[in-house]
């Protein structure tokens, strides 16, 4: 044998040992697929990318295994649907590990097939033994991963302006509210698979209207005035909705890229609603627009070096964005590079950006109760980054649990430690409380002051309200049904007591299906909590409303138009960052 053959043989022997070990573990725990891994650690599975595989530039050939064009196209569609959400469009890694060709070719086809089939203790789904992928599809994927990743097209100003539509110009919009809705207690509800939102009256619980939007709306954000609703789809389509019209309707729209997650409007005093900003996943950039028309004004790339290894990253996606109250700035989380950008919009022609080194991979986050400190999850680093928006610097990096995923987080007063902000986790069952009062409680500030034990991992959102004594934690992505269909509730006055479990999906009474319970959201008064019961698009879903005082079901909204409801955003709470 030559040197290459010896190396290859050694790799195959190592692979055989791995495959045998994994197979043995599967025999012991056939439903698990991840030897030695708790189920809550396997709960997270990336959403499909919104990038159209047909638009990519294919790079078939080179040193990768032989593939036909048809095979490559099929594998590409599978990757974009199943894998890109975790590993990235360019396979540089994020929640999942990097799958670049320098690694995949060294591992080889048999190893990759075993990994895809059985998964890994690090949380890789067992695509083969679960039945999600066939042996043929796994073979395709193993060979595909050894070719250079297809590159989606860029998206610049010309393309944006081709899609930009002002449906109702500002001068033709009403000068006063034309409907009788109590706008402050409206809920914008994502109808994920329908490509729509539902506006639901918080008092009557009636669906006011259904509005077409982009696909799989990620978030809804409100203008500082509370009049305009900004809705961003995963397909990077932005809709501007005027809540004063009768009925509320789209007044402007635009597509800003191929995939996006975040939108925000300016809130600095004197510049409220002057600008809006969207952060995209592909291309990796952010766009500053006029706040009343969505006219694109400035596009800024986020490609650059990572904060830890100082290596170039071609796909640093923009995650959470919040608007500073202390400076004319947007605070922008750049996922893969681990940078927080303070983007000063006072002079767009001479844009000033302050770069703060935090940790990868920055994701979601929210304000402390004073709206001075922005706390953001660096989920693969298992840290929370604290940014002082007033002094424009990093205040702390705090070690927490496995893969923090707080949504906006939750602010309340711990009876022993004072003001805290809380996060739950995708990768373990902990709920971590961080002290947020450096002036009144300096010894507790930016430290984990308490760790609660929740139901399990797979948590996406945690929520409370200034008028409530309860803390709600969902476990929507947990692999155990009784956990994904219920929520845990803690008493914030007695945090040493065990949580209570609310059977939200049972209360919904929607029949068969996954019935994942996701994202608690309070009404304006803070006396009731809304939960989405998220079922498949061909099954019935619902919204369950719980009385916060009694923890009993108060109302269930069922309607054929409620297709895969997920996120819910109360107008008042979103405008004022109440969480």
């Amino acid at each position: 044998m030559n040197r290459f053959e010896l190396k290859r043989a050694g790799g195959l022997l190592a692979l055989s040992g791995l495959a045998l070990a994994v197979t043995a573990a599967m025999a012991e725990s056939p439903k698990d697929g991840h030897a030695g891994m708790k189920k809550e650690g396997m709960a997270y599975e990336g959403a499909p990318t919104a990038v159209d595989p047909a638009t990519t530039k294919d790079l078939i050939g080179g040193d990768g295994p032989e593939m036909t064009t048809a095979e490559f196209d099929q594998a590409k569609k599978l990757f974009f649907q199943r894998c890109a959400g975790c590993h990235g469009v360019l396979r540089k890694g994020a929640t999942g590990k990097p799958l670049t060709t320098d690694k995949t070719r060294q591992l080889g086809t048999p190893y990759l097939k075993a990994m895809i089939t059985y998964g890994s203790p690090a949380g890789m789904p067992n695509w083969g033994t679960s039945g999600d992928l066939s042996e043929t599809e796994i073979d395709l994927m193993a060979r595909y991963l050894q070719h250079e990743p297809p590159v989606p097209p860029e998206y610049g100003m010309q393309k944006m302006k081709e899609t930009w539509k002002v449906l109702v110009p500002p001068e033709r919009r009403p000068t006063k509210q034309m409907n009788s809705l109590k706008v402050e207690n409206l809920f914008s509800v994502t109808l994920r698979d329908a490509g729509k939102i539902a506006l639901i009256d918080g008092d009557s619980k009636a669906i006011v209207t259904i509005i077409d939007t982009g696909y799989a709306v990620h978030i809804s954000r409100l203008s500082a005035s509370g009049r305009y609703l900004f809705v961003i789809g995963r397909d990077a389509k932005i809709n501007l909705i005027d809540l004063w019209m009768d009925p509320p309707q789209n007044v402007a729209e635009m597509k800003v890229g191929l995939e996006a997650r975040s939108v925000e409007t300016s809130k600095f005093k004197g510049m409220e609603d002057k600008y809006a900003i969207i952060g995209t996943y592909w291309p990796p950039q952010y766009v500053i627009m006029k706040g009343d028309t969505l006219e694109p004004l400035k596009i800024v790339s986020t490609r650059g070096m990572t904060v830890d290894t100082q290596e170039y990253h071609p796909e640093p996606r923009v995650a959470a964005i919040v608007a500073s109250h202390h400076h004319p700035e947007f605070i922008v989380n750049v996922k893969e590079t681990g940078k927080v950008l303070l983007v000063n919009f006072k002079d767009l022609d001479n844009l000033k950006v302050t770069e703060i080194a935090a940790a990868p991979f920055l994701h979601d986050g929210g304000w402390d109760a004073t709206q001075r400190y922005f706390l953001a999850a660096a989920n693969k680093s298992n840290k929370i980054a604290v940014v002082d928006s007033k002094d424009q610097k990093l205040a702390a990096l705090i070690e927490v649990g496995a893969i923090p995923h707080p949504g906006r987080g939750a602010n309340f007063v711990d009876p022993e430690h004072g003001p805290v902000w809380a996060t739950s986790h995708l990768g373990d069952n902990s709920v971590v409380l961080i002290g947020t009062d450096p002036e009144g409680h300096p010894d507790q500030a930016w430290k984990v002051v308490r760790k609660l034990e929740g139901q399990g991992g797979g948590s996406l959102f945690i929520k409370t309200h200034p008028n409530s004594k309860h803390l709600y934690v969902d476990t929507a992505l947990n692999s155990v049904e009784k956990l994904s269909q219920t929520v845990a509730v803690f008493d914030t006055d007695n945090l040493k007591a065990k949580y209570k479990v609310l059977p939200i999906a049972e209360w919904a009474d929607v029949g068969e299906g996954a019935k994942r319970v996701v994202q608690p959201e309070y009404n304006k008064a803070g006396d009731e909590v809304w939960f989405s019961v998220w079922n498949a698009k061909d099954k019935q879903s619902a919204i369950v409303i719980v009385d916060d005082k009694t923890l009993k079901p108060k109302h269930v909204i069922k309607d054929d138009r409620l297709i895969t409801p997920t996120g819910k955003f109360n107008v008042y709470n979103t405008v004022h960052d109440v969480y």
Side-chain angles (χ1 to χ4, degrees):
M1 290 186 180
N2 60 30
R3 188 184 310 172
F4 173 79
E5 290 171 329
L6 283 169
K7 182 178 179 182
R8 185 70 169 172
L12 290 173
L13 284 171
L15 167 65
S16 299
L18 170 71
L20 287 171
V22 176
T23 303
M26 287 297 297
E28 293 178 9
S29 182
K31 294 181 180 180
D32 191 328
H34 302 265
M37 183 81 171
K38 292 182 179 179
K39 286 188 175 181
E40 57 262 29
M42 306 180 295
Y44 184 66
E45 189 177 303
T49 177
V51 175
D52 181 0
T55 64
T56 62
K57 180 180 179 181
D58 296 343
L59 301 170
I60 311 175
D63 297 325
E66 184 177 341
M67 293 192 82
T68 66
T69 301
E71 286 178 326
F72 191 88
D73 286 344
Q74 183 183 354
K76 178 173 62 174
K77 290 176 184 177
L78 285 171
F79 181 84
F80 277 42
Q81 182 180 8
R82 305 275 190 173
C83 316
C86 280
H87 297 283
V89 170
L90 299 183
R91 308 206 300 252
K92 289 285 185 177
T95 306
K97 292 184 180 298
L99 293 173
T100 48
T101 54
D102 60 318
K103 294 176 173 61
T104 57
R105 290 173 186 168
Q106 186 175 4
L107 294 171
T109 302
Y111 184 103
L112 292 169
K113 286 172 67 174
M115 185 65 71
I116 296 167
T117 300
Y118 298 111
S120 80
M124 165 84 171
N126 51 321
W127 295 110
T129 55
S130 66
D132 287 304
L133 294 180
S134 67
E135 289 185 13
T136 300
E137 289 172 329
I138 290 168
D139 177 69
L140 280 176
M141 290 301 299
R143 288 183 284 138
Y144 167 81
L145 292 175
Q146 297 171 71
H147 289 267
E148 295 296 334
V151 180
E154 300 295 324
Y155 214 92
M157 185 64 76
Q158 181 179 343
K159 285 190 176 181
M160 288 184 199
K161 288 199 170 180
E162 288 173 357
T163 68
W164 172 49
K165 297 176 184 178
V166 180
L167 305 172
V168 183
E171 62 271 17
R172 287 176 44 203
R173 298 172 196 167
T175 57
K176 62 180 181 179
Q177 185 177 337
M178 302 303 292
N179 55 57
S180 59
L181 298 171
K182 293 181 180 178
V183 170
E184 286 191 330
N185 202 31
L186 274 180
F187 286 77
S188 174
V189 180
T190 296
L191 305 181
R192 190 184 188 280
D193 293 343
K196 304 174 187 290
I197 62 157
L199 290 180
I200 301 181
D201 187 295
D203 294 336
S204 69
K205 315 300 188 289
I207 296 177
V208 174
T209 187
I210 304 289
I211 299 176
D212 290 333
T213 61
Y215 172 74
V217 165
H218 192 65
I219 58 170
S220 296
R221 288 288 178 263
L222 274 298
S223 62
S225 66
R227 172 179 179 173
Y228 290 110
L229 179 67
F230 294 79
V231 178
I232 183 68
R234 290 177 184 264
D235 59 357
K237 182 180 179 182
I238 173 75
N239 291 81
L240 179 62
I241 297 166
D242 188 349
L243 298 178
W244 280 10
M245 298 179 78
D246 189 17
Q249 61 185 269
N250 282 310
V251 295
E253 63 181 38
M254 182 171 55
K255 193 167 169 59
V256 295
L258 302 180
E259 188 169 6
R261 294 292 188 277
S262 51
V263 63
E264 180 63 294
T265 62
S266 52
K267 293 183 178 178
F268 182 67
K269 189 174 182 179
M271 300 186 76
E272 295 96 335
D273 301 335
K274 182 174 182 179
Y275 296 116
I277 184 174
I278 293 178
T280 54
Y281 268 26
W282 189 271
Q285 58 195 29
Y286 56 87
V287 185
I288 300 176
M289 308 161 291
K290 284 188 177 180
D292 60 350
T293 65
L294 303 183
E295 179 183 357
L297 302 173
K298 189 84 171 181
I299 305 172
V300 183
S301 173
T302 55
R303 292 181 171 104
M305 314 306 282
T306 60
V307 299
D308 48 0
T309 60
Q310 299 288 298
E311 297 294 331
Y312 177 75
H313 200 294
E315 191 194 352
R317 298 173 285 183
V318 178
I321 303 176
V322 295
S324 173
H325 298 274
H326 295 279
H327 300 280
E329 291 177 341
F330 293 116
I331 302 176
V332 178
N333 275 354
V334 184
K335 195 177 183 81
E336 281 78 7
T337 57
K339 296 175 181 178
V340 181
L341 306 180
L342 309 183
V343 180
N344 190 300
F345 50 75
K346 191 172 184 179
D347 182 357
L348 294 186
D349 291 329
N350 301 282
L351 194 69
K352 179 183 176 183
V353 180
T354 301
E355 182 182 296
I356 297 175
F361 295 86
L362 290 169
H363 193 53
D364 53 356
W367 293 108
D368 79 307
T370 69
Q371 297 182 358
R372 171 175 175 172
Y373 298 98
F374 174 56
L375 294 93
N379 56 24
K380 260 318 221 190
S381 299
N382 300 333
K383 291 180 172 66
I384 296 293
V386 183
V387 174
D388 184 339
S389 70
K390 183 178 181 180
D391 290 347
Q392 300 167 299
K393 64 181 183 180
L394 185 71
L397 271 178
I398 306 162
E399 292 276 352
V400 290
I403 317 179
H405 196 290
R408 306 300 291 272
N411 290 296
F412 60 96
V413 177
D414 184 295
E416 295 180 36
H417 305 292
V420 295
W421 178 92
T423 182
S424 52
H425 298 81
L426 280 165
D428 66 35
N429 67 348
S430 66
V431 177
V432 168
L433 278 53
I434 296 169
T436 60
D437 184 16
E439 293 184 6
H441 297 78
D443 293 340
Q444 286 79 29
W446 316 134
K447 297 176 183 176
V448 175
V449 298
R450 194 188 296 269
K451 186 175 287 190
L452 306 174
E453 183 177 326
Q455 285 202 96
S459 177
L460 289 177
F461 296 99
I462 184 170
K463 190 65 67 88
T464 189
H465 188 281
N467 296 337
S468 172
K469 68 170 189 174
H470 293 125
L471 177 68
Y472 297 84
V473 183
D474 72 22
T475 39
L477 292 185
N478 199 287
S479 58
V480 179
E481 276 193 358
K482 69 178 181 180
L483 301 187
S484 65
Q485 296 180 1
T486 60
V487 296
V489 188
F490 294 88
D491 183 344
T492 56
D493 289 338
N494 183 17
L495 292 167
K496 294 180 180 178
K498 186 176 174 60
Y499 57 80
K500 296 180 180 178
V501 177
L502 304 187
I504 302 296
E506 179 183 320
W507 290 341
D509 189 24
V510 293
E512 296 181 350
K515 297 178 288 190
R516 296 182 184 275
V517 176
V518 64
Q519 205 231 8
E521 175 75 343
Y522 283 83
N523 63 344
K524 178 188 175 184
D527 58 9
E528 61 185 33
V529 190
W530 294 37
F531 296 90
S532 295
V533 180
W534 171 20
N535 225 342
K537 62 183 178 182
D538 61 344
K539 291 181 169 46
Q540 187 175 40
S541 294
I543 293 173
V544 174
I545 299 164
V546 173
D547 186 313
D548 181 62
K549 298 294 188 291
T550 65
L551 300 182
K552 300 294 183 183
K554 185 176 181 179
H555 192 85
V556 177
I557 304 175
K558 294 181 185 178
D559 192 293
D560 290 342
R561 296 171 293 174
L562 284 181
I563 299 170
T564 58
T566 51
K568 300 165 300 303
F569 304 88
N570 177 269
V571 168
Y572 181 88
N573 293 339
T574 305
V575 169
H576 298 280
D577 292 310
V578 177
Y579 40 80

